[in-house]
Each structure stands twice: as structure tokens, then as C-alpha cells.
Amino acid sequence: KRTHYINETLRGIFRLADWNKLTAGAEFVQESLNSESDNIDKARTNTYNLFAQDEINIFKYLDAVAGVRYTQNDNFGAAFTPNAGLFFHIAGFRLRASYAGGYRTPTLSQMYATDQAKTTARYTLNNPDLKPEKNHFFNVNAEYSNKWMSVSVSGFMNKIRDMINYRTMTDDEIAASPDLTALREEGWKTIRQRDNIDKATVRGVSASVKFLIPGGVTIGGGYTFTDSKAETQTLNTKTQLYEVTESPVDKSVKHVGNVMAAWDHTWGNYHLNITVNGHIQGERYSSTYGYADGFSQWDLVTRHTVRLKHFTLEPGLGIENIFNQRDTSPWNSNFSTITPGRS
């Protein structure tokens, strides 16, 4: 398979008044696909987008944002996706609330290409009748900051519908189609098709804190809890009936944390920054392989800034994955991490 992707964007930002800023523009996206195995010779789709967003200062402490995006696609027609937000700020306090709609058209590969997995005897069909995926995203955020600290707490929810996933074909569907019957006779045990069979809800909270300590020291950390639920249609191979099953969203992680510590110092024309970052992650779910173990990774980054008369040198040196954390599970497992080790 060979794909070509072109994206061209023209955007303008206009200061209409001291209290009003408008962003508007147009975007053109073209995707093409060639696949000898599927006898596809330059399948192509064009998407045209127009977008505008207005930022208004209602009064001293309150700002508002409202925008809309218009999409016209060769295969799926027109769609509008809005977004809106409010931002209240006074002294060191900031409160935000926002909403955004989402719209994603299927790729040409999902619509027209097939996949063959010979090791598992699984054949995946294309589906030119796929529908676009849509979602509604809500977010609320509160922050406080001063000269030596900052604290932030957020809550979010994302509701997605018409998600594209794989639907296993029933025995009756296979028997009713000469093409599918021929595939079964060739030895393909599982024949499936991409379809809009899923919907999901992802919601959670995140919090972060950072402290600026005298002497050039900065320490901070954050935590995110995500609760996700996906509903999908699964074929019961014994009864040949579809059942709605619930599970976490594929690739989702419930618990994620991060910590950091940094030190900055300047000697004349030389500035040094040393940062240690830690990422701690709980189990990650896979709809195919189950849960992968949690893991943590720690990195050391140093940046050296040397300011000379006519130019500045800024080399960086560090250690990624200090403790050489690796997942050595056998191939075809749900890996907790794919890092090759310390570098």
C-alpha cells in the first residue's frame, strides 16, 4: 500500500479591537491510496475546511471564545463542529470551562483496503459505507499561582460515538456471500469488517503542582485518573448472535503520574539547567491482549547555554531511561513500554 497526504492551510489573525481578536482561515486536505493487492489505483478523497474563532474580552476579568469549523468531504458531505469557552481570572486565580465538538472521517485504508494476518488466519474486509466518528468534549479547570507556587485541577469528559472497530462476520453472512464463502474455503477462520460499532465515554480528573524554591530549584508533579468505558458489538461464536460488551477503552490507562525536579544556575556567560523527570504509569488495557503491567521511567536532562559575543551555543546531554526499564515479554504481547533500554 502507498498513501499520499497533502495538507495546506491559510490562517489569519485579526485584532479587530483591543477587546476582540478574530482567527479565521481555510484548509485543504487530500489523501490518496494505491494498493496492488486490492486493485486500488489512486483512490482519492478531498476535504475542504473553513474555520473561524472569536476571542472577546467581555470585561476586565472575563474572556469568552466561540468558534466553528465547517467541513466538506467528497465522500461524507458537510459537517459543522463548534467550540466555546469562558475564562475568568482575578489576581492569581483562573477558572476555565470549555466545550468542543469533534468530527473525523474514515481513512481511505479503512474504506477500501483489506488486511490479511496469516499467522492467525484472520481476514479483514474494507467497508466503503463507514460513517465519520463524532464526539463531544467538556473540560473545567481551576488554577492558582503566585511567585513561588502554582496549583491546577481539571475535570474532563469525552463522549464518542460511531467509533470504527472490527465486526466479526456471522456464519449466515458468510454463507450468503460467494466471495466470503470462497475466503472461508481458502482457510481464513475469522473474517471481519471495519464498522461503526463502538461508542465510548472517557472521563477523569487531573491535578498538578509546582514549587519554585530559592536557589534555582523547581520541583513539581502531577496525577491523572481516567475512567473509560467502551461499548462494542461482539459476536458470540456459539450462538452466532451479537452481544454488547463493556470494557475500558483500548490503550487506556487509569493511573498516570509524573514528577520533576530541576536546578538552574548562571556563572557569567554560562547557564546550566539540570532536570530529572519521572513518569509512573499503571496497567494499560488492550482489547486484543488484555492488561500490560505498569511501569516507570526516569530521565536526566542537562542543558548548557554559553553566550558568546556573536552567537550562542546550547548543547544538551542526558540519560533517557536511567534505570534501564524494559519489557521483555514475548512477541505478540501487550507491552507496558517499547523502550529498548537506557540511552
Side-chain angles (χ1 to χ4, degrees), residues 101 147 172 222 260 326:
K147 292 182 178 180
D172 290 341
M260 63 83 65
R326 295 180 299 157

Side-chain angles (χ1 to χ4, degrees), residues 88-261:
F88 177 78
H89 50 93
I90 183 170
F93 292 94
R94 298 177 179 86
L95 296 174
R96 295 180 177 87
S98 62
Y99 161 79
Y103 178 84
R104 189 181 77 86
T105 58
T107 65
L108 290 177
S109 292
Q110 291 174 328
M111 295 175 63
Y112 300 119
T114 60
D115 289 318
Q116 302 174 19
K118 294 183 178 180
T119 55
T120 56
R122 186 177 62 204
Y123 194 98
T124 302
L125 299 166
N126 60 325
N127 186 356
D129 297 322
L130 289 172
K131 298 181 293 185
E133 297 178 330
K134 306 176 185 68
N135 79 297
H136 298 287
F137 179 78
F138 304 87
N139 185 67
V140 178
N141 170 259
E143 296 180 10
Y144 172 75
S145 62
N146 55 31
K147 292 182 178 180
W148 60 275
M149 70 166 291
S150 64
V151 180
S152 174
V153 179
S154 298
F156 57 89
M157 182 172 67
N158 193 11
K159 296 184 74 68
I160 314 166
R161 64 186 189 276
D162 292 328
M163 289 177 65
I164 297 172
N165 205 336
Y166 300 102
R167 180 177 68 85
T168 302
M169 311 296 285
T170 66
D171 290 341
D172 290 341
E173 288 177 301
I174 295 173
S177 169
D179 291 338
L180 299 184
T181 301
L183 290 174
R184 176 62 61 81
E185 292 173 351
E186 290 176 10
W188 300 102
K189 296 180 180 179
T190 302
I191 302 174
R192 61 182 190 174
Q193 182 182 52
R194 300 177 182 92
D195 211 340
N196 299 92
I197 61 171
D198 282 8
K199 60 181 180 179
T201 300
V202 181
R203 55 192 174 188
V205 293
S206 62
S208 64
V209 62
K210 182 169 70 173
F211 296 97
L212 305 177
I213 301 173
V217 176
T218 303
I219 59 173
Y223 168 74
T224 299
F225 170 79
T226 303
D227 178 41
S228 66
K229 181 179 73 172
E231 297 181 11
T232 187
Q233 297 182 40
T234 304
L235 178 66
N236 185 320
T237 56
K238 292 183 179 179
T239 64
Q240 288 295 299
L241 297 175
Y242 287 108
E243 301 171 350
V244 176
T245 59
E246 294 185 358
S247 67
V249 171
D250 195 35
K251 307 297 188 296
S252 63
V253 181
K254 267 196 174 184
H255 306 281
V256 177
N258 62 82
V259 293
M260 63 83 65

